[in-house]
Amino acid sequence: MNETNAGGVRRRSVEIVVPVYNEAHVLAGSVGRLHAYFEESFPFPFRITVADNASTDATWHEATELTLRLPHVHAVHLPAKGRGRALKEVWSASTADVVAYMDVDLSTGLEGFLPLVAPLLSGHSDLAIGSRLHRQADVVRGPKREFVSRSYNRLLKLGLAARFSDAQCGFKAVRTEVFRALAPHIEDTAWFFDTELLVLAQRNGLRIHEVPVDWVDDPDSRVDIVRTALDDLRGMRRMLRATVTGRTRVAVPRRIRTSRVPAARTSPAVPATGANASLKHLEYAS
């Protein structure tokens, strides 16, 4: 994945993680579309990693098949469920400069991805999130999910003084060195992982960039809204206690701006192998 330009300088790279659980029926189509889009439109070296969260269907088989057919696709199999767990494992081991994730249903328009990661690659910002609640976002979803989303983010503003607008949109990126600094302090392994990451970033003065997204609700979503809401409330209470006791303070790396945006990618990305050493307990396909 790491490439150099004509002057021998290593070009900045991005790893995109797609966490999945029992998604064999849509995995090939979604990752194929994602891979085609990045090959045609993304100007930086990239890798797509399918993170299988202990699926019980044919998801792992489909993921390994994709690694054989598509040159920039890799797959990691985790023995336990949890989106946060998958992201923490793969992001911590990544050799890319920026790590990101998106949901397998590709509900968020892919045109928003370059605006999402560009401020991180340039050194302008530390984290970036897609926002469905931004006034310029174009969102199609039912009234129930809209109400739940807006209510949750309102609670975050009231209870944790959150300054970001959309904690749970499945479209995020972070500078890898920043994530490694925050990762040991993130306790949640499921859906609250995103909120915990953002709250820690805000508490430590990191810059969070927001991108308005085009988003279409997936009618086949597996999220249990009630259970997730209760887990989120417990997570908020824990984060509030941590803030009061000062346990959210973390030593984080400083931003270093690059002088210019790197030129477009001109040669195929070469998969990095260093991640294997950090993922010895995981099953890895490349």
Side-chain angles (χ1 to χ4, degrees), residues 128-155:
I129 64 173
S131 176
R132 297 162 297 185
L133 302 179
H134 192 284
R135 65 180 181 277
Q136 293 181 333
D138 187 358
V139 176
V140 178
R141 63 176 166 181
K144 180 180 179 181
R145 293 180 71 91
E146 180 76 10
F147 173 77
V148 170
S149 178
R150 289 188 178 276
S151 297
Y152 177 62
N153 283 282
R154 223 172 258 123
L155 281 174

PDB file of all heavy atoms in Angstrom, residues 128-155:
ATOM      1  N   ALA A 128     -12.497  12.867  11.040  1.00  0.00           N
ATOM      2  CA  ALA A 128     -13.520  13.377  10.134  1.00  0.00           C
ATOM      3  C   ALA A 128     -14.733  12.475  10.202  1.00  0.00           C
ATOM      4  O   ALA A 128     -14.600  11.247  10.292  1.00  0.00           O
ATOM      5  CB  ALA A 128     -12.987  13.448   8.700  1.00  0.00           C
ATOM      6  N   ILE A 129     -15.903  13.085  10.179  1.00  0.00           N
ATOM      7  CA  ILE A 129     -17.137  12.309  10.250  1.00  0.00           C
ATOM      8  C   ILE A 129     -18.113  12.769   9.168  1.00  0.00           C
ATOM      9  O   ILE A 129     -18.176  13.959   8.830  1.00  0.00           O
ATOM     10  CB  ILE A 129     -17.815  12.432  11.637  1.00  0.00           C
ATOM     11  CG1 ILE A 129     -18.273  13.886  11.909  1.00  0.00           C
ATOM     12  CG2 ILE A 129     -16.871  11.968  12.731  1.00  0.00           C
ATOM     13  CD1 ILE A 129     -19.093  14.043  13.187  1.00  0.00           C
ATOM     14  N   GLY A 130     -18.860  11.825   8.625  1.00  0.00           N
ATOM     15  CA  GLY A 130     -19.977  12.169   7.779  1.00  0.00           C
ATOM     16  C   GLY A 130     -21.149  12.543   8.667  1.00  0.00           C
ATOM     17  O   GLY A 130     -21.398  11.906   9.690  1.00  0.00           O
ATOM     18  N   SER A 131     -21.863  13.600   8.302  1.00  0.00           N
ATOM     19  CA  SER A 131     -22.988  14.047   9.114  1.00  0.00           C
ATOM     20  C   SER A 131     -24.282  14.028   8.317  1.00  0.00           C
ATOM     21  O   SER A 131     -24.398  14.694   7.285  1.00  0.00           O
ATOM     22  CB  SER A 131     -22.736  15.460   9.653  1.00  0.00           C
ATOM     23  OG  SER A 131     -23.871  15.929  10.353  1.00  0.00           O
ATOM     24  N   ARG A 132     -25.252  13.267   8.832  1.00  0.00           N
ATOM     25  CA  ARG A 132     -26.589  13.249   8.239  1.00  0.00           C
ATOM     26  C   ARG A 132     -27.441  14.379   8.786  1.00  0.00           C
ATOM     27  O   ARG A 132     -28.541  14.627   8.283  1.00  0.00           O
ATOM     28  CB  ARG A 132     -27.264  11.906   8.556  1.00  0.00           C
ATOM     29  CG  ARG A 132     -26.544  10.713   7.959  1.00  0.00           C
ATOM     30  CD  ARG A 132     -26.960   9.425   8.635  1.00  0.00           C
ATOM     31  NE  ARG A 132     -26.606   9.421  10.043  1.00  0.00           N
ATOM     32  CZ  ARG A 132     -26.770   8.362  10.853  1.00  0.00           C
ATOM     33  NH1 ARG A 132     -27.277   7.244  10.369  1.00  0.00           N
ATOM     34  NH2 ARG A 132     -26.438   8.433  12.124  1.00  0.00           N
ATOM     35  N   LEU A 133     -26.944  15.062   9.824  1.00  0.00           N
ATOM     36  CA  LEU A 133     -27.705  16.128  10.461  1.00  0.00           C
ATOM     37  C   LEU A 133     -27.198  17.510  10.067  1.00  0.00           C
ATOM     38  O   LEU A 133     -27.712  18.514  10.556  1.00  0.00           O
ATOM     39  CB  LEU A 133     -27.645  15.960  11.982  1.00  0.00           C
ATOM     40  CG  LEU A 133     -28.181  14.613  12.503  1.00  0.00           C
ATOM     41  CD1 LEU A 133     -28.065  14.543  14.015  1.00  0.00           C
ATOM     42  CD2 LEU A 133     -29.622  14.396  12.064  1.00  0.00           C
ATOM     43  N   HIS A 134     -26.197  17.560   9.215  1.00  0.00           N
ATOM     44  CA  HIS A 134     -25.724  18.830   8.680  1.00  0.00           C
ATOM     45  C   HIS A 134     -26.826  19.436   7.807  1.00  0.00           C
ATOM     46  O   HIS A 134     -27.565  18.719   7.134  1.00  0.00           O
ATOM     47  CB  HIS A 134     -24.459  18.585   7.847  1.00  0.00           C
ATOM     48  CG  HIS A 134     -23.715  19.820   7.478  1.00  0.00           C
ATOM     49  ND1 HIS A 134     -24.134  20.670   6.480  1.00  0.00           N
ATOM     50  CD2 HIS A 134     -22.545  20.342   7.956  1.00  0.00           C
ATOM     51  CE1 HIS A 134     -23.264  21.667   6.356  1.00  0.00           C
ATOM     52  NE2 HIS A 134     -22.304  21.493   7.242  1.00  0.00           N
ATOM     53  N   ARG A 135     -26.942  20.737   7.808  1.00  0.00           N
ATOM     54  CA  ARG A 135     -28.033  21.374   7.062  1.00  0.00           C
ATOM     55  C   ARG A 135     -27.929  21.145   5.552  1.00  0.00           C
ATOM     56  O   ARG A 135     -28.920  21.292   4.828  1.00  0.00           O
ATOM     57  CB  ARG A 135     -28.075  22.875   7.367  1.00  0.00           C
ATOM     58  CG  ARG A 135     -26.865  23.666   6.912  1.00  0.00           C
ATOM     59  CD  ARG A 135     -27.007  25.147   7.271  1.00  0.00           C
ATOM     60  NE  ARG A 135     -25.869  25.945   6.837  1.00  0.00           N
ATOM     61  CZ  ARG A 135     -24.736  26.067   7.519  1.00  0.00           C
ATOM     62  NH1 ARG A 135     -24.618  25.428   8.684  1.00  0.00           N
ATOM     63  NH2 ARG A 135     -23.748  26.801   7.063  1.00  0.00           N
ATOM     64  N   GLN A 136     -26.734  20.796   5.073  1.00  0.00           N
ATOM     65  CA  GLN A 136     -26.567  20.548   3.646  1.00  0.00           C
ATOM     66  C   GLN A 136     -26.592  19.055   3.303  1.00  0.00           C
ATOM     67  O   GLN A 136     -26.397  18.688   2.143  1.00  0.00           O
ATOM     68  CB  GLN A 136     -25.267  21.174   3.149  1.00  0.00           C
ATOM     69  CG  GLN A 136     -25.275  22.693   3.203  1.00  0.00           C
ATOM     70  CD  GLN A 136     -23.985  23.298   2.694  1.00  0.00           C
ATOM     71  OE1 GLN A 136     -22.928  22.687   2.754  1.00  0.00           O
ATOM     72  NE2 GLN A 136     -24.072  24.519   2.172  1.00  0.00           N
ATOM     73  N   ALA A 137     -26.841  18.206   4.276  1.00  0.00           N
ATOM     74  CA  ALA A 137     -26.931  16.770   4.013  1.00  0.00           C
ATOM     75  C   ALA A 137     -28.231  16.457   3.282  1.00  0.00           C
ATOM     76  O   ALA A 137     -29.239  17.149   3.450  1.00  0.00           O
ATOM     77  CB  ALA A 137     -26.860  15.993   5.318  1.00  0.00           C
ATOM     78  N   ASP A 138     -28.190  15.402   2.485  1.00  0.00           N
ATOM     79  CA  ASP A 138     -29.374  14.947   1.750  1.00  0.00           C
ATOM     80  C   ASP A 138     -29.679  13.531   2.240  1.00  0.00           C
ATOM     81  O   ASP A 138     -28.984  12.583   1.883  1.00  0.00           O
ATOM     82  CB  ASP A 138     -29.101  14.961   0.248  1.00  0.00           C
ATOM     83  CG  ASP A 138     -30.348  14.666  -0.572  1.00  0.00           C
ATOM     84  OD1 ASP A 138     -31.413  14.420   0.027  1.00  0.00           O
ATOM     85  OD2 ASP A 138     -30.255  14.650  -1.819  1.00  0.00           O
ATOM     86  N   VAL A 139     -30.705  13.394   3.077  1.00  0.00           N
ATOM     87  CA  VAL A 139     -30.958  12.129   3.776  1.00  0.00           C
ATOM     88  C   VAL A 139     -32.354  11.607   3.451  1.00  0.00           C
ATOM     89  O   VAL A 139     -33.331  12.360   3.467  1.00  0.00           O
ATOM     90  CB  VAL A 139     -30.819  12.322   5.308  1.00  0.00           C
ATOM     91  CG1 VAL A 139     -31.182  11.045   6.047  1.00  0.00           C
ATOM     92  CG2 VAL A 139     -29.399  12.762   5.648  1.00  0.00           C
ATOM     93  N   VAL A 140     -32.408  10.294   3.183  1.00  0.00           N
ATOM     94  CA  VAL A 140     -33.686   9.616   2.965  1.00  0.00           C
ATOM     95  C   VAL A 140     -33.797   8.509   4.004  1.00  0.00           C
ATOM     96  O   VAL A 140     -33.068   7.503   3.941  1.00  0.00           O
ATOM     97  CB  VAL A 140     -33.772   9.013   1.546  1.00  0.00           C
ATOM     98  CG1 VAL A 140     -35.105   8.277   1.370  1.00  0.00           C
ATOM     99  CG2 VAL A 140     -33.618  10.099   0.483  1.00  0.00           C
ATOM    100  N   ARG A 141     -34.681   8.666   4.987  1.00  0.00           N
ATOM    101  CA  ARG A 141     -34.915   7.631   5.988  1.00  0.00           C
ATOM    102  C   ARG A 141     -36.256   7.871   6.677  1.00  0.00           C
ATOM    103  O   ARG A 141     -36.824   8.966   6.595  1.00  0.00           O
ATOM    104  CB  ARG A 141     -33.791   7.562   7.016  1.00  0.00           C
ATOM    105  CG  ARG A 141     -33.601   8.800   7.860  1.00  0.00           C
ATOM    106  CD  ARG A 141     -32.524   8.548   8.899  1.00  0.00           C
ATOM    107  NE  ARG A 141     -32.056   9.773   9.515  1.00  0.00           N
ATOM    108  CZ  ARG A 141     -31.106   9.818  10.443  1.00  0.00           C
ATOM    109  NH1 ARG A 141     -30.549   8.704  10.852  1.00  0.00           N
ATOM    110  NH2 ARG A 141     -30.711  10.964  10.958  1.00  0.00           N
ATOM    111  N   GLY A 142     -36.742   6.837   7.360  1.00  0.00           N
ATOM    112  CA  GLY A 142     -38.042   6.907   7.999  1.00  0.00           C
ATOM    113  C   GLY A 142     -38.059   7.824   9.204  1.00  0.00           C
ATOM    114  O   GLY A 142     -37.011   8.125   9.792  1.00  0.00           O
ATOM    115  N   PRO A 143     -39.244   8.264   9.607  1.00  0.00           N
ATOM    116  CA  PRO A 143     -39.369   9.201  10.738  1.00  0.00           C
ATOM    117  C   PRO A 143     -38.873   8.617  12.063  1.00  0.00           C
ATOM    118  O   PRO A 143     -38.360   9.353  12.906  1.00  0.00           O
ATOM    119  CB  PRO A 143     -40.864   9.499  10.783  1.00  0.00           C
ATOM    120  CG  PRO A 143     -41.528   8.381  10.034  1.00  0.00           C
ATOM    121  CD  PRO A 143     -40.551   7.963   8.986  1.00  0.00           C
ATOM    122  N   LYS A 144     -39.013   7.299  12.263  1.00  0.00           N
ATOM    123  CA  LYS A 144     -38.585   6.692  13.529  1.00  0.00           C
ATOM    124  C   LYS A 144     -37.076   6.793  13.693  1.00  0.00           C
ATOM    125  O   LYS A 144     -36.584   7.230  14.741  1.00  0.00           O
ATOM    126  CB  LYS A 144     -39.028   5.228  13.582  1.00  0.00           C
ATOM    127  CG  LYS A 144     -38.616   4.519  14.866  1.00  0.00           C
ATOM    128  CD  LYS A 144     -39.081   3.071  14.875  1.00  0.00           C
ATOM    129  CE  LYS A 144     -38.648   2.344  16.145  1.00  0.00           C
ATOM    130  NZ  LYS A 144     -39.087   0.924  16.151  1.00  0.00           N
ATOM    131  N   ARG A 145     -36.331   6.416  12.664  1.00  0.00           N
ATOM    132  CA  ARG A 145     -34.873   6.478  12.754  1.00  0.00           C
ATOM    133  C   ARG A 145     -34.385   7.926  12.801  1.00  0.00           C
ATOM    134  O   ARG A 145     -33.388   8.233  13.454  1.00  0.00           O
ATOM    135  CB  ARG A 145     -34.241   5.723  11.588  1.00  0.00           C
ATOM    136  CG  ARG A 145     -34.484   4.220  11.648  1.00  0.00           C
ATOM    137  CD  ARG A 145     -33.837   3.518  10.470  1.00  0.00           C
ATOM    138  NE  ARG A 145     -32.387   3.515  10.591  1.00  0.00           N
ATOM    139  CZ  ARG A 145     -31.685   2.548  11.175  1.00  0.00           C
ATOM    140  NH1 ARG A 145     -32.311   1.502  11.705  1.00  0.00           N
ATOM    141  NH2 ARG A 145     -30.381   2.594  11.225  1.00  0.00           N
ATOM    142  N   GLU A 146     -35.080   8.807  12.117  1.00  0.00           N
ATOM    143  CA  GLU A 146     -34.720  10.221  12.155  1.00  0.00           C
ATOM    144  C   GLU A 146     -34.889  10.765  13.572  1.00  0.00           C
ATOM    145  O   GLU A 146     -34.024  11.481  14.092  1.00  0.00           O
ATOM    146  CB  GLU A 146     -35.606  11.006  11.182  1.00  0.00           C
ATOM    147  CG  GLU A 146     -35.320  12.492  11.123  1.00  0.00           C
ATOM    148  CD  GLU A 146     -34.073  12.837  10.346  1.00  0.00           C
ATOM    149  OE1 GLU A 146     -33.508  11.948   9.674  1.00  0.00           O
ATOM    150  OE2 GLU A 146     -33.650  14.008  10.420  1.00  0.00           O
ATOM    151  N   PHE A 147     -36.000  10.410  14.219  1.00  0.00           N
ATOM    152  CA  PHE A 147     -36.263  10.869  15.579  1.00  0.00           C
ATOM    153  C   PHE A 147     -35.215  10.327  16.551  1.00  0.00           C
ATOM    154  O   PHE A 147     -34.691  11.068  17.391  1.00  0.00           O
ATOM    155  CB  PHE A 147     -37.661  10.433  16.019  1.00  0.00           C
ATOM    156  CG  PHE A 147     -37.960  10.723  17.468  1.00  0.00           C
ATOM    157  CD1 PHE A 147     -38.284  12.015  17.880  1.00  0.00           C
ATOM    158  CD2 PHE A 147     -37.903   9.712  18.418  1.00  0.00           C
ATOM    159  CE1 PHE A 147     -38.549  12.290  19.226  1.00  0.00           C
ATOM    160  CE2 PHE A 147     -38.167   9.977  19.757  1.00  0.00           C
ATOM    161  CZ  PHE A 147     -38.486  11.277  20.159  1.00  0.00           C
ATOM    162  N   VAL A 148     -34.912   9.028  16.438  1.00  0.00           N
ATOM    163  CA  VAL A 148     -33.938   8.412  17.341  1.00  0.00           C
ATOM    164  C   VAL A 148     -32.567   9.062  17.175  1.00  0.00           C
ATOM    165  O   VAL A 148     -31.883   9.382  18.153  1.00  0.00           O
ATOM    166  CB  VAL A 148     -33.860   6.894  17.084  1.00  0.00           C
ATOM    167  CG1 VAL A 148     -32.680   6.283  17.836  1.00  0.00           C
ATOM    168  CG2 VAL A 148     -35.153   6.212  17.505  1.00  0.00           C
ATOM    169  N   SER A 149     -32.155   9.279  15.932  1.00  0.00           N
ATOM    170  CA  SER A 149     -30.845   9.862  15.672  1.00  0.00           C
ATOM    171  C   SER A 149     -30.740  11.270  16.231  1.00  0.00           C
ATOM    172  O   SER A 149     -29.763  11.618  16.913  1.00  0.00           O
ATOM    173  CB  SER A 149     -30.581   9.875  14.161  1.00  0.00           C
ATOM    174  OG  SER A 149     -29.333  10.468  13.879  1.00  0.00           O
ATOM    175  N   ARG A 150     -31.733  12.090  15.955  1.00  0.00           N
ATOM    176  CA  ARG A 150     -31.686  13.467  16.438  1.00  0.00           C
ATOM    177  C   ARG A 150     -31.770  13.534  17.965  1.00  0.00           C
ATOM    178  O   ARG A 150     -31.095  14.350  18.599  1.00  0.00           O
ATOM    179  CB  ARG A 150     -32.815  14.284  15.803  1.00  0.00           C
ATOM    180  CG  ARG A 150     -32.587  14.549  14.318  1.00  0.00           C
ATOM    181  CD  ARG A 150     -33.593  15.518  13.736  1.00  0.00           C
ATOM    182  NE  ARG A 150     -33.306  15.767  12.334  1.00  0.00           N
ATOM    183  CZ  ARG A 150     -32.433  16.656  11.891  1.00  0.00           C
ATOM    184  NH1 ARG A 150     -31.763  17.403  12.766  1.00  0.00           N
ATOM    185  NH2 ARG A 150     -32.229  16.825  10.602  1.00  0.00           N
ATOM    186  N   SER A 151     -32.565  12.644  18.560  1.00  0.00           N
ATOM    187  CA  SER A 151     -32.692  12.633  20.020  1.00  0.00           C
ATOM    188  C   SER A 151     -31.381  12.220  20.675  1.00  0.00           C
ATOM    189  O   SER A 151     -30.949  12.823  21.677  1.00  0.00           O
ATOM    190  CB  SER A 151     -33.803  11.659  20.435  1.00  0.00           C
ATOM    191  OG  SER A 151     -35.055  12.075  19.938  1.00  0.00           O
ATOM    192  N   TYR A 152     -30.713  11.221  20.106  1.00  0.00           N
ATOM    193  CA  TYR A 152     -29.446  10.757  20.673  1.00  0.00           C
ATOM    194  C   TYR A 152     -28.385  11.852  20.617  1.00  0.00           C
ATOM    195  O   TYR A 152     -27.680  12.111  21.601  1.00  0.00           O
ATOM    196  CB  TYR A 152     -28.966   9.517  19.924  1.00  0.00           C
ATOM    197  CG  TYR A 152     -27.622   9.009  20.388  1.00  0.00           C
ATOM    198  CD1 TYR A 152     -27.444   8.562  21.691  1.00  0.00           C
ATOM    199  CD2 TYR A 152     -26.530   8.976  19.530  1.00  0.00           C
ATOM    200  CE1 TYR A 152     -26.212   8.102  22.137  1.00  0.00           C
ATOM    201  CE2 TYR A 152     -25.299   8.509  19.955  1.00  0.00           C
ATOM    202  CZ  TYR A 152     -25.141   8.081  21.253  1.00  0.00           C
ATOM    203  OH  TYR A 152     -23.921   7.631  21.680  1.00  0.00           O
ATOM    204  N   ASN A 153     -28.276  12.499  19.474  1.00  0.00           N
ATOM    205  CA  ASN A 153     -27.264  13.536  19.342  1.00  0.00           C
ATOM    206  C   ASN A 153     -27.577  14.746  20.208  1.00  0.00           C
ATOM    207  O   ASN A 153     -26.671  15.434  20.681  1.00  0.00           O
ATOM    208  CB  ASN A 153     -27.099  13.922  17.870  1.00  0.00           C
ATOM    209  CG  ASN A 153     -26.294  12.889  17.100  1.00  0.00           C
ATOM    210  OD1 ASN A 153     -25.068  12.845  17.191  1.00  0.00           O
ATOM    211  ND2 ASN A 153     -26.977  12.025  16.362  1.00  0.00           N
ATOM    212  N   ARG A 154     -28.864  14.986  20.463  1.00  0.00           N
ATOM    213  CA  ARG A 154     -29.241  16.054  21.377  1.00  0.00           C
ATOM    214  C   ARG A 154     -28.808  15.708  22.813  1.00  0.00           C
ATOM    215  O   ARG A 154     -28.331  16.560  23.566  1.00  0.00           O
ATOM    216  CB  ARG A 154     -30.756  16.273  21.328  1.00  0.00           C
ATOM    217  CG  ARG A 154     -31.151  17.747  21.300  1.00  0.00           C
ATOM    218  CD  ARG A 154     -32.637  17.953  21.048  1.00  0.00           C
ATOM    219  NE  ARG A 154     -32.917  18.337  19.684  1.00  0.00           N
ATOM    220  CZ  ARG A 154     -33.727  17.692  18.850  1.00  0.00           C
ATOM    221  NH1 ARG A 154     -34.308  16.594  19.242  1.00  0.00           N
ATOM    222  NH2 ARG A 154     -33.949  18.139  17.641  1.00  0.00           N
ATOM    223  N   LEU A 155     -28.997  14.435  23.178  1.00  0.00           N
ATOM    224  CA  LEU A 155     -28.565  13.988  24.497  1.00  0.00           C
ATOM    225  C   LEU A 155     -27.058  14.139  24.670  1.00  0.00           C
ATOM    226  O   LEU A 155     -26.569  14.508  25.749  1.00  0.00           O
ATOM    227  CB  LEU A 155     -28.965  12.520  24.715  1.00  0.00           C
ATOM    228  CG  LEU A 155     -30.415  12.248  25.082  1.00  0.00           C
ATOM    229  CD1 LEU A 155     -30.676  10.750  25.111  1.00  0.00           C
ATOM    230  CD2 LEU A 155     -30.755  12.870  26.435  1.00  0.00           C
TER     231      LEU A 155
END
